[in-house]
Amino acid sequence: MAQQEEVFKKIISHSKEYGFVFPSSEIYDGLSAVYDYGQNGVELKNNLKKYWWDSMVLLHENVVGIDSAIFMHPTIWKASGHVDAFNDPLIDNKDSKKRYRADVLIEDYLAKLDDKIDKEVQKAAKRFGDTFDEKMYRETNPRVLENQQKRDEIHTRFAKALNDNNLEELRQVIIDCEIACPISGTRNWTEVRQFNLMFSTEMGATSEGAMKVYLRPESAQGIFVNFLNVQKTGRMKVPFGIAQIGKAFRNEIVARQFIFRMREFEQMEMQFFVVPGEELEWFEHWKKLRMEWHQALGFGAEKYRFHDHDKLAHYANAATDIEFDMPFGFKEVEGIHSRTDFDLSQHEKFSGKKLQYFDPELNKSYTPYVVETSIGVDRMFLSILAGSYCEETLESGETRVVMKFPAELAPVKLAILPLVRKDGLPEKARQIMDDLKFSFSCQYDEKDSIGKRYRRHDAIGTPFCATIDHQTLEDNTVTVRYRDSMEQERVAIDSLQRIISEKTDMKNLLKKLSV
Ligand code: ATP
């Protein structure tokens, strides 16, 4: 774990050093849990958003996009339940004065118990070799049984306390588990209180006329309130989906872990409207498609897992998370929820406007049910950084840090490098750049030795480098160097456009997906 934490620190400093992510307002000592994306970060982020958008809107005839405003009528947040219930249970340690989410403290404790059990099982598996019967071992080993029983008991109490909104019991679980503050090491806890996560501000010029409005805590409500606009103007037939990418804001209690938990972040959400009664089938369908989308990136299936929710929100009848193996453990990057007709019904009630769909095939009107897929751009970005970050020792003994991004997402696709800054090589390189820049993102670089330039491009994950040397002037060929294998190949300038386009085209990822 300590080694993983070390890797996480390195990823954070690498992100800053190479223009991926900067702390916001840094010259003013930063603003907690707010970050800016740099010149390479924004390219990677845009590519990631395009991958999601195209997988939704381009590949599905029955999914269309919108871009709704961040400010919305405040009653929307009453209807959605956010004003009354978008809370996290917080608890403070009286000695360190640090604030925690009570549910997260308990979840971490449960994860530690799981870890203990798994380690015990792994140890035994090694000891017994091929004859090892894991099921029997789990059912009979006293240490495993004891930890499993402890885990199950705590888990049951925890899930019940959350469901009953029983804050005293949540605190009691923390006390009974002897959970200590990681900073002070003490168990001197305050009461657990609910804390609303929405930011608010005032809209309007005069103080009497001002209206309290919220910065949206999710982009989904912008989709619900436009459901009929899109259905009618797009002549959409249920089942159909509406996709949106946009900023969301949450006043998170615990905002550490870099861009994993931010106060301003971006979401990519798709609400899929279905005939009531068919939602669980669609839920399974989208679960499968979304996992495929993640796995198509090639980081390995073992890096992802589903985590079904212990506590279903009052409006949901099924919910799962897709988790990624971050340097700090498996964590949620995406939520998939079957939200019933809760949102549309609530908006119907609060707005007084009908939000029903007339189904020509069933010849009746109804409020569609909704299956939602909701993914955080920034968390996804972090999973890509974590999955791509690689330190390698070369034959020369030198180490290189290489970001093994999927080529389709890499900020720069091709580096164009004249071997030396003379003899007409820079001019030739510029000519190539001027030709190729219309097809994909290229970067011209003539400073420092060729080795240093390769390292620089490894560090930002450029999948291909084209080196222009004296032979280029004679036969119009260049050396293409591959980031991951470091192999080099001589190719004709005329074929560069085709070779690089083929290897970096978003189509490659999209074609791996089923629709
Ligand atoms: P968590 O339990 O981690 O707070 P959540 O279950 O509240 O997350 P959702 O409301 O389901 O999250 O939001 C959907 C997605 O939006 C999440 O899977 C995550 O990727 C992203 N997200 C939510 N909150 C944040 C945040 N504070 N910073 C960055 N991304 C976030």
Side-chain angles (χ1 to χ4, degrees):
M1 199 63 193
Q3 198 187 355
Q4 285 292 80
E5 272 165 27
E6 229 12 73
V7 171
F8 187 40
K9 277 192 198 145
K10 285 184 185 172
I11 292 174
I12 297 172
S13 61
H14 188 87
S15 298
K16 190 174 160 210
E17 190 177 344
Y18 287 94
F20 287 97
V21 182
F22 305 127
S24 158
S25 324
E26 200 186 1
I27 57 170
Y28 291 93
D29 297 332
L31 184 65
S32 165
V34 186
Y35 289 89
D36 298 336
Y37 285 81
Q39 67 282 11
N40 290 316
V42 69
E43 296 291 342
L44 178 60
K45 196 175 179 209
N46 284 342
N47 293 339
L48 173 57
K49 288 195 270 185
K50 182 168 167 51
Y51 174 41
W52 183 86
W53 187 267
D54 286 356
S55 76
M56 287 291 174
V57 175
L58 212 63
L59 298 194
H60 295 97
E61 278 174 47
N62 60 351
V63 177
V64 292
I66 61 164
D67 182 15
S68 71
I70 286 172
F71 287 132
M72 297 201 277
H73 196 285
T75 310
I76 286 174
W77 304 111
K78 228 17 220 166
S80 68
H82 283 82
V83 170
D84 297 320
F86 193 50
N87 301 319
D88 275 342
L90 70 82
I91 189 165
D92 292 354
N93 182 270
K94 291 185 196 160
D95 299 316
S96 67
K97 309 270 184 279
K98 281 277 171 201
R99 182 160 283 183
Y100 298 90
R101 263 173 67 174
D103 54 335
V104 172
L105 285 179
I106 300 171
E107 273 168 7
D108 286 351
Y109 175 82
L110 289 171
K112 271 193 203 135
L113 281 180
D114 283 338
D115 231 32
K116 236 186 194 167
I117 296 170
D118 288 347
K119 282 214 179 96
E120 195 80 50
V121 173
Q122 280 162 14
K123 238 173 39 200
K126 249 197 207 147
R127 211 168 47 235
F128 293 110
D130 289 345
T131 56
F132 184 60
D133 180 343
E134 182 176 331
K135 188 165 174 287
M136 188 157 92
Y137 187 79
R138 281 185 185 269
E139 284 167 2
T140 53
N141 179 276
R143 265 194 310 271
V144 169
L145 281 178
E146 190 189 325
N147 277 325
Q148 189 64 45
Q149 192 191 355
K150 195 155 135 196
R151 188 214 178 273
D152 293 345
E153 271 170 28
I154 297 297
H155 183 258
T156 310
R157 279 179 65 190
F158 170 53
K160 186 167 180 337
L162 278 183
N163 270 319
D164 299 348
N165 206 6
N166 186 344
L167 303 182
E168 262 168 46
E169 170 67 358
L170 269 186
R171 180 172 191 273
Q172 201 52 48
V173 173
I174 292 175
I175 304 287
D176 293 349
C177 293
E178 302 186 344
I179 297 174
C181 164
I183 308 287
S184 66
T186 70
R187 292 182 234 138
N188 195 5
W189 297 108
T190 61
E191 296 304 302
V192 176
R193 276 169 298 144
Q194 291 289 18
F195 177 80
N196 193 287
L197 300 181
M198 280 201 294
F199 285 102
S200 64
T201 185
E202 292 193 339
M203 185 177 262
T206 61
S207 56
E208 308 92 73
M211 169 162 79
K212 182 172 178 182
V213 289
Y214 297 97
L215 296 185
R216 66 180 180 199
E218 61 175 31
S219 66
Q221 298 305 323
I223 295 179
F224 292 123
V225 297
N226 278 298
F227 157 71
L228 266 194
N229 283 339
V230 174
Q231 189 272 315
K232 288 195 168 139
T233 56
R235 290 175 294 121
M236 308 302 290
K237 284 207 175 96
V238 167
F240 75 93
I242 305 178
Q244 161 153 253
I245 300 179
K247 289 267 177 152
F249 305 82
R250 294 182 190 178
N251 197 3
E252 296 281 0
I253 302 170
V254 183
R256 289 172 207 133
Q257 290 171 328
F258 193 38
I259 54 173
F260 181 79
R261 192 173 295 288
M262 301 158 88
R263 298 207 162 102
E264 173 179 343
F265 59 101
E266 210 165 355
Q267 290 184 313
M268 307 191 278
E269 298 199 292
M270 197 277 301
Q271 310 293 324
F272 199 71
F273 301 90
V274 305
V275 180
E278 293 181 3
E279 71 278 6
L280 293 179
E281 253 168 76
W282 283 110
F283 175 75
E284 290 304 324
H285 175 81
W286 281 106
K287 243 179 103 167
K288 175 172 158 283
L289 259 55
R290 294 306 304 146
M291 187 56 106
E292 242 179 36
W293 183 89
H294 286 274
Q295 294 191 353
L297 292 171
F299 294 122
E302 73 286 356
K303 292 267 180 192
Y304 303 88
R305 69 178 189 198
F306 285 115
H307 172 247
D308 295 331
H309 284 205
D310 287 329
K311 182 197 175 193
L312 283 181
H314 55 284
Y315 51 80
N317 63 4
T320 194
D321 296 335
I322 293 179
E323 296 185 336
F324 182 81
D325 190 5
M326 299 278 187
F328 40 90
F330 271 95
K331 296 284 170 196
E332 168 183 349
V333 282
E334 171 157 9
I336 302 162
H337 312 122
S338 173
R339 296 178 71 120
T340 68
D341 61 352
F342 174 79
D343 303 86
L344 289 179
S345 302
Q346 284 291 99
H347 288 307
E348 210 167 60
K349 196 160 106 196
F350 279 75
S351 69
K353 309 275 168 18
K354 267 222 155 336
L355 289 178
Q356 295 216 329
Y357 167 75
F358 177 74
D359 193 324
E361 268 157 47
L362 301 177
N363 197 27
K364 64 171 188 185
S365 291
Y366 55 82
T367 308
Y369 271 39
V370 171
V371 174
E372 158 186 85
T373 72
S374 173
I375 170 170
V377 178
D378 314 87
R379 279 193 196 177
M380 189 60 207
F381 187 102
L382 181 57
S383 76
I384 291 171
L385 289 182
S388 305
Y389 183 88
C390 224
E391 283 174 23
E392 288 179 354
T393 309
L394 306 178
E395 275 171 21
S396 59
E398 203 191 334
T399 52
R400 71 161 185 160
V401 173
V402 50
M403 298 303 287
K404 294 190 171 175
F405 295 133
E408 298 81 356
L409 301 186
V412 179
K413 309 295 189 213
L414 179 69
I416 299 180
L417 316 173
L419 187 62
V420 287
R421 235 188 305 180
K422 57 182 184 184
D423 304 336
L425 299 187
E427 290 74 10
K428 186 72 182 173
R430 284 267 174 222
Q431 261 176 25
I432 299 175
M433 171 94 183
D434 284 345
D435 187 34
L436 294 182
K437 70 183 178 195
F438 296 98
S439 304
F440 38 75
S441 137
C442 306
Q443 207 171 79
Y444 177 87
D445 192 355
E446 60 175 24
K447 201 168 168 286
D448 299 322
S449 72
I450 195 76
K452 271 199 181 154
R453 281 179 274 169
Y454 283 158
R455 284 300 95 78
R456 245 191 333 257
H457 279 281
D458 287 341
I460 64 165
T462 307
F464 308 102
C465 295
T467 305
I468 289 86
D469 55 18
H470 292 92
Q471 191 184 330
T472 310
L473 303 180
E474 287 161 23
D475 64 3
N476 272 322
T477 62
V478 294
T479 307
V480 170
R481 183 249 192 198
Y482 295 85
R483 177 194 67 199
D484 299 347
S485 64
M486 293 188 288
E487 273 165 18
Q488 304 196 4
E489 190 184 8
R490 200 86 203 168
V491 308
I493 292 174
D494 284 352
S495 58
L496 262 185
Q497 198 271 339
R498 180 185 50 77
I499 295 173
I500 308 300
S501 289
E502 266 174 20
K503 295 200 156 108
T504 59
D505 199 325
M506 196 63 84
K507 221 170 23 188
N508 300 336
L509 288 179
L510 296 173
K511 283 207 161 159
K512 292 187 195 167
L513 308 176
S514 39
V515 185

